[in-house]
Amino acid sequence: MFRLLHFLAIALFLLPAGGCDRGPAIAPLPEDAIVLAFGDSLTYGTGAGSGESYPEVLAALLGRTVINAGVPGETSAQGLRRLPDVLAEYEPDLVILCHGGNDFLRRLDRQQLAANLEAMVALIHDSGAEVVVVGVPQFGLLLKTAPLYDQLAETYRLPYEGDIITDLLGDRDLKSDTVHPNAAGYRQLAEALFRLIDRAQRS
């Protein structure tokens, strides 16, 4: 019994050291923070009505200004060219980066997509903003998030939501077509991002 209690005491002593790392952190968002949602049609809100895109729902959840900078049909190369002007215009504290779906749909080079995303992260950091990454599914026999997003988040220690879009597009009740959520789906996306941002601020 003594040996068991001794083992439990050691385990409890070690647990905080291992359990305090809750993942990549971001600075707490001030009340006047600007959050920039940057991406393509998934950010724009294609498939939902006015007021139902994830940036609009997230703004209410966060109690912060969230700018919808989504452009339907945009590739990552086009997004990379657009990003500097958007950063200069809004000077965000945090950028939610959700991009690459159109690269997959058009079967563009995945190494170039990864390079474009890395360049976007560098631009965002250089602007002084934090980055949160949302993984996008690659389309094939099985719907799954492309591994390059996980690699990006791990390399740059970025808060990362890798499952939500794949989960939404795997549920016909939560999507408007094969590649876009509906209003209920976008709400779930906003809620997942709210949880991620809240957790990252507490890490």
Side-chain angles (χ1 to χ4, degrees):
M1 175 64 72
F2 175 79
R3 294 185 67 181
L4 176 60
L5 291 174
H6 181 67
F7 173 79
L8 289 174
I10 293 174
L12 289 172
F13 176 78
L14 293 176
L15 181 60
C20 64
D21 183 8
R22 302 179 183 178
I26 60 173
L29 293 172
E31 291 185 3
D32 61 349
I34 300 295
V35 178
L36 177 69
F38 189 82
D40 48 37
S41 57
L42 291 172
T43 298
Y44 179 80
T46 298
S50 177
E52 296 175 334
S53 69
Y54 97 72
E56 291 168 291
V57 177
L58 182 61
L61 295 173
L62 284 175
R64 305 291 191 275
T65 298
V66 181
I67 304 297
N68 187 332
V71 174
E74 184 176 73
T75 65
S76 65
Q78 293 168 329
L80 178 57
R81 290 194 293 270
R82 180 170 65 97
L83 180 58
D85 288 342
V86 178
L87 292 172
E89 179 179 0
Y90 294 107
E91 299 182 348
D93 299 273
L94 173 66
V95 177
I96 302 170
L97 181 60
C98 178
H99 223 303
N102 291 303
D103 293 59
F104 295 127
L105 290 172
R106 300 181 190 183
R107 302 184 183 277
L108 301 180
D109 184 82
R110 296 191 182 189
Q111 289 186 337
Q112 187 60 57
L113 167 58
N116 291 339
L117 291 171
E118 288 190 14
M120 290 186 204
V121 169
L123 285 170
I124 295 166
H125 280 161
D126 287 347
S127 77
E130 308 260 22
V131 190
V132 166
V133 173
V134 183
V136 178
Q138 56 191 7
F139 297 94
L141 293 177
L142 296 175
L143 187 67
K144 62 180 181 179
T145 303
L148 63 89
Y149 292 96
D150 182 77
Q151 295 165 6
L152 177 72
E154 183 175 352
T155 297
Y156 293 94
R157 291 287 296 165
L158 305 173
Y160 174 54
E161 173 51 69
D163 298 322
I164 185 62
I165 293 181
T166 299
D167 291 345
L168 294 176
L169 297 184
D171 186 339
R172 63 183 181 181
D173 292 331
L174 296 174
K175 60 184 183 179
S176 61
D177 57 35
T178 57
V179 295
H180 297 107
N182 56 22
Y186 283 120
R187 172 161 288 279
Q188 289 199 18
L189 173 56
E191 290 169 350
L193 287 170
F194 172 75
R195 291 191 295 269
L196 175 65
I197 293 168
D198 183 64
R199 185 169 63 249
Q201 291 181 95
R202 297 171 185 270
S203 294

